[in-house]
Amino acid sequence: DEIVRRASNYVEITRNASDGAINIENQYNFGVQTVSQDVHKMALDKKPVMLIGHALGEGKAYDPSKIRGTGNHARAHPLYSGWNV
């Protein structure tokens, strides 16, 4: 739990059972990286966790009660996508 809570970046590569396609799931804790003045000044163990995920693997789901918002960031970091590395 602490790794997912505080690690900066977590990548899991899986194969979809339905079609065999490769999926690269990327999740990162934006609380560690944020430049917000209020959060930036906080000690690491006091920073709120904001886990951001991309390409959630087949059969996985987030707990709806924990979701605070969604957005489409498909072209936000095109050079950093798993397929471009």
Side-chain angles (χ1 to χ4, degrees), residues 47-78:
K47 288 184 180 186
V49 175
M50 183 169 70
L51 188 66
I52 297 174
H54 301 276
L56 193 62
E58 185 176 63
K60 294 183 178 182
Y62 293 115
D63 178 347
S65 70
K66 306 242 184 225
I67 297 173
R68 301 293 181 257
T70 62
N72 183 346
H73 302 280
R75 300 301 300 162
H77 304 289

Side-chain angles (χ1 to χ4, degrees), residues 16-50:
N16 292 337
S18 62
D19 62 6
I22 293 173
N23 185 66
I24 300 173
E25 179 182 330
N26 183 22
Q27 299 194 42
Y28 56 96
N29 179 330
F30 202 71
V32 172
Q33 302 171 23
T34 188
V35 294
S36 163
Q37 290 302 313
D38 295 334
V39 176
H40 182 71
K41 294 175 184 176
M42 297 173 127
L44 181 59
D45 64 340
K46 302 294 183 204
K47 288 184 180 186
V49 175
M50 183 169 70

Side-chain angles (χ1 to χ4, degrees), residues 24 75 77-85:
I24 300 173
R75 300 301 300 162
H77 304 289
L79 296 177
Y80 296 118
S81 76
W83 295 110
N84 290 335
V85 175

